[in-house]
Amino acid sequence: MEPQVTFLPGNRTLKVRSGTNLLQAARKARIHIPTRCGGNAGCLMCKVEVRSTDGTPAGLTPPGEAERRKLGPLLEQGIRLACQAKVVGSATVSLPENPLKAAIRKQLEAQNEEDSLW
């Protein structure tokens, strides 16, 4: 059985070959994960949160040296680099919210709060 990856939000699920990294899987699913270093663990832009079971991210290879060095304690919070984490089983991955979208959402929420006061 081929491993599958589910990307949140959006709930897109696709089957991938074992050994495919999350960045490649996202591209296959037409999901944009920003990166500047070409997948070499240099820019840290491709951080994602992986849902875990028993404290171990399900369906991914353990973090390598580059990932441990770059992320440090963030690994304990389920944060991984999409360019380094390879799929070996089923995994659920949460993508961070786009900063521009987050700013717009916060502005709209503040506006809605002001409108509800009247």
Side-chain angles (χ1 to χ4, degrees), residues 25-85:
R27 287 178 179 160
K28 183 177 178 186
R30 297 178 189 240
I31 296 171
H32 176 70
I33 296 178
T35 181
R36 252 187 263 157
C37 68
N40 295 311
C43 67
L44 300 179
M45 291 180 69
C46 66
K47 289 184 283 199
V48 295
E49 183 180 350
V50 179
R51 301 281 169 107
S52 61
T53 55
D54 302 331
T56 307
L60 300 177
T61 56
E65 178 60 31
E67 209 174 358
R68 283 194 304 272
R69 191 174 58 249
K70 297 283 185 170
L71 293 177
L74 290 175
L75 287 168
E76 296 170 13
Q77 299 170 23
I79 305 297
R80 298 289 304 267
L81 295 177
C83 68
Q84 300 296 304

Side-chain angles (χ1 to χ4, degrees), residues 1-12:
M1 183 172 132
E2 282 185 306
Q4 63 181 34
V5 180
T6 301
F7 289 98
L8 303 174
N11 207 26
R12 282 198 201 160

